[in-house]
């Protein structure tokens, strides 16, 4: 099976608060984006990667991967879902499979990628990597102002997962779901949420907890450590 990957990489990295978007920060001699793309091409089924880049981004063209024939650049959008939607528009075959993976997740292991692909290929409505929640979960209630919260309740942790990427679907199903969900103004923070909005039930595939999304400054050292552990 031939799979196209779409990599949303048009974010500004406001929580990282660095001098450039976080996907262009270096870890062990390469940018986070380059690590992420390398991890995807580790898998023999992934033939092509479409990367959504902000249209005023001066960093992408400077990377060697900008001239890789397996890679296509598209203009990203205002929200992550818009960037993914733009990436999907570059895929011709609606009956093929697409795998969406955050540029900011450079520590994806081949075993996880392979497990997700195998699960999705057998599924009705695609599949996502996810990690079971570990901590006790609380729902807060605002006590005063915006920041002071108290505990309203403890949320049952059973059946609660962190949604990770990659997330893999049939192109048509994801494109139609995203289009409908965006039209209806649904809150779409990952691909699966668009399918859920349309009543589909994507599969949860247990993934490794070290597939972190580099979000805040302290995540850089952790990602560097995990990348060093990856042997294939
Ligand atoms: N992303 C995108 N287009 C957007 C927003 C985000 O392609 N309009 C991408 C980011 O580049 C990132 C992924 O979606 O690879 C996950 O988003 P997130 O971790 O939130 O990255 P940022 O939006 O860049 O960070 P922040 O929310 O802290 O600003
Ligand atoms: Mg964001």
């Amino acid at each position: 099976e031939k799979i196209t990957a779409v990599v949303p990489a048009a974010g500004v990295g406001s929580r990282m608060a660095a001098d450039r978007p976080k996907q262009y920060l270096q870890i062990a001699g390469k940018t986070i984006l380059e690590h992420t793309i390398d991890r995807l091409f580790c898998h023999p089924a992934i033939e092509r990667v479409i990367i959504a880049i902000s249209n005023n981004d001066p960093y992408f063209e400077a990377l060697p991967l900008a001239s890789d024939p397996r890679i296509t650049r598209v203009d990203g959008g205002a929200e992550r879902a818009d960037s993914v939607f733009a990436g999907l528009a570059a895929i011709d075959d609606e009956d093929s499979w697409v795998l969406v993976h955050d540029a900011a997740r450079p520590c994806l292991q081949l075993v996880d990628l392979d497990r997700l692909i195998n699960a999705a290929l057998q599924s009705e409505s695609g599949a996502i990597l996810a990690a079971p929640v570990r901590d006790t979960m609380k729902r807060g209630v605002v006590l005063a102002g915006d920041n002071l919260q108290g505990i309203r309740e403890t949320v049952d942790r059973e059946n609660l997962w962190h949604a990770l990427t990659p997330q893999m679907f049939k192109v048509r199903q994801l494109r139609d779901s995203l289009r409908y969900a965006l039209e209806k103004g649904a809150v779409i923070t990952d691909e699966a949420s668009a399918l859920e909005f349309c009543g589909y039930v994507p599969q949860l595939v247990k993934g490794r907890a070290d597939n972190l999304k580099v979000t805040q400054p302290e995540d850089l050292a952790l990602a560097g450590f995990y990348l060093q552990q990856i042997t294939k």
Side-chain angles (χ1 to χ4, degrees), residues 24-223:
Y24 299 112
L25 297 176
Q26 300 259 335
I27 298 178
K30 271 195 302 196
T31 61
I32 288 176
L33 178 62
E34 291 173 290
H35 283 293
T36 300
I37 303 302
D38 283 354
R39 301 309 304 148
L40 292 172
F41 279 133
C42 274
H43 198 284
I46 297 183
E47 291 207 311
R48 182 179 174 217
V49 177
I50 298 166
I51 312 183
I53 301 285
S54 171
N55 57 8
N56 54 21
D57 172 316
Y59 304 104
F60 181 77
E61 291 304 322
L63 300 176
L65 55 80
S67 58
D68 186 322
R70 301 168 300 174
I71 291 176
T72 305
R73 172 185 178 157
V74 299
D75 284 342
E79 303 292 335
R80 184 183 173 286
D82 304 312
S83 296
V84 170
F85 196 69
L88 293 175
I91 304 175
D92 293 328
D93 183 1
E94 291 230 296
D95 292 313
S96 64
W97 289 91
V98 60
L99 175 151
V100 180
H101 184 54
D102 289 326
R105 292 188 193 267
C107 307
L108 173 64
Q109 297 247 10
L110 184 56
V111 282
D112 267 11
L113 183 53
D114 195 52
R115 196 178 317 113
L116 174 73
I117 288 174
N118 288 325
L121 290 175
Q122 306 295 317
S123 72
E124 283 289 311
S125 303
I128 78 168
L129 282 181
V133 160
R134 297 174 174 189
D135 301 308
T136 298
M137 305 300 283
K138 304 292 189 190
R139 187 182 316 281
V141 56
V142 177
L143 294 178
D146 280 345
N147 291 320
L148 187 59
Q149 295 207 359
I151 298 170
R152 151 91 28 101
E153 61 178 349
T154 299
V155 179
D156 187 358
R157 194 171 53 191
E158 192 161 298
N159 302 332
L160 221 47
W161 300 72
H162 293 279
L164 311 175
T165 73
Q167 305 196 353
M168 183 169 144
F169 307 94
K170 273 282 177 69
V171 171
R172 178 179 295 106
Q173 198 173 36
L174 178 57
R175 189 184 286 170
D176 291 351
S177 300
L178 266 176
R179 184 185 292 119
Y180 181 74
L182 290 172
E183 253 170 40
K184 294 283 174 189
V187 178
I188 299 303
T189 52
D190 69 347
E191 288 58 63
S193 46
L195 276 87
E196 296 154 31
F197 187 75
C198 296
Y200 297 116
V201 183
Q203 210 173 303
L204 289 159
V205 176
K206 189 173 170 183
R208 300 169 55 103
D210 56 7
N211 177 14
L212 86 165
K213 181 155 70 70
V214 177
T215 304
Q216 300 183 140
E218 62 267 31
D219 297 333
L220 289 169
L222 202 49

